[in-house]
Amino acid sequence: QHRCSKGQVVRAMGKKGKAPVPEAEPEAPVEDPTAGGWTCAECDYEHLEEEAASGECVACGVERPAQEVGRFAGYKVGLVLACEDFSGKLKALKVDVGEGEDAALNIVTNAGNVKEGCRVVVATIGATVEMKGEEVVVSRAVVGGKPSEGMLCDAPMLGWVGGGAGAAALLP
């Protein structure tokens, strides 16, 4: 499950079990990219807007990461280090996003075109992706009983033409 920008919980994987998302009033655009809350990547504590001014997590004390600005904030290129098929169509991946093999992310995906050695685009925790016209903020999740610390992007999520929805965008 992932939390969308309106605070609603939605499933990011597959079509089964996705609850209908009620329509909400449109929100005013945020002028200041550093305004609003943030989620600590270390302990998952969701800081409210009034707590956001602090330079560190109020729950665990970890320093707040530098704020990336723009549509692709929180997106990284990753190298798939390991790929394990499980539970039918799902795959558990270990993906290095430039932090080193020891800090590789665990990501669960249903993208059939991913294998060990592929370079992929990863939306990390806190990144905003567009799925079927809805903006969704990526958060930690448990998918098929395995932890997932991000999600692979397909061509439509990146605004690319020619790639299929649901197939991971692969890079050379």
Side-chain angles (χ1 to χ4, degrees):
Q1 291 184 343
H2 296 279
R3 206 170 279 286
C4 78
S5 61
K6 295 179 181 113
Q8 300 155 328
V9 175
V10 296
R11 278 189 59 162
M13 304 285 304
K15 295 180 182 175
K16 293 182 182 175
K18 184 174 178 184
V21 178
E23 287 191 33
E25 293 182 27
E27 296 178 15
V30 177
E31 298 293 327
D32 179 2
T34 62
W38 64 284
T39 301
C40 177
E42 186 68 29
C43 70
D44 266 347
Y45 180 82
E46 293 182 13
H47 294 81
L48 302 175
E49 189 169 350
E50 52 271 11
E51 298 171 323
S54 171
E56 62 183 38
C57 176
V58 297
C60 70
V62 168
E63 187 175 323
R64 180 179 183 174
Q67 191 86 24
E68 293 180 42
V69 180
R71 178 172 183 237
F72 297 110
Y75 287 50
K76 298 184 181 224
V77 173
L79 175 64
V80 178
L81 302 174
C83 180
E84 171 196 345
D85 291 334
F86 78 99
S87 185
K89 293 170 47 175
L90 294 177
K91 294 180 180 184
L93 309 176
K94 266 283 198 225
V95 182
D96 180 2
V97 291
E99 311 289 328
E101 193 172 328
D102 292 338
L105 299 177
N106 294 306
I107 298 177
V108 177
T109 185
N110 62 358
N113 63 329
V114 179
K115 61 185 179 200
E116 194 172 318
C118 288
R119 291 202 184 279
V120 293
V121 179
V122 177
T124 61
I125 294 169
T128 302
V129 297
E130 188 172 315
M131 294 173 36
K132 299 179 184 175
E134 178 82 21
E135 286 190 347
V136 177
V137 176
V138 178
S139 63
R140 278 192 177 99
V142 176
V143 181
K146 299 208 180 230
S148 189
E149 303 167 313
M151 66 189 302
L152 301 187
C153 297
D154 61 17
M157 284 179 189
L158 298 169
W160 296 354
V161 178
L170 301 179
L171 304 173

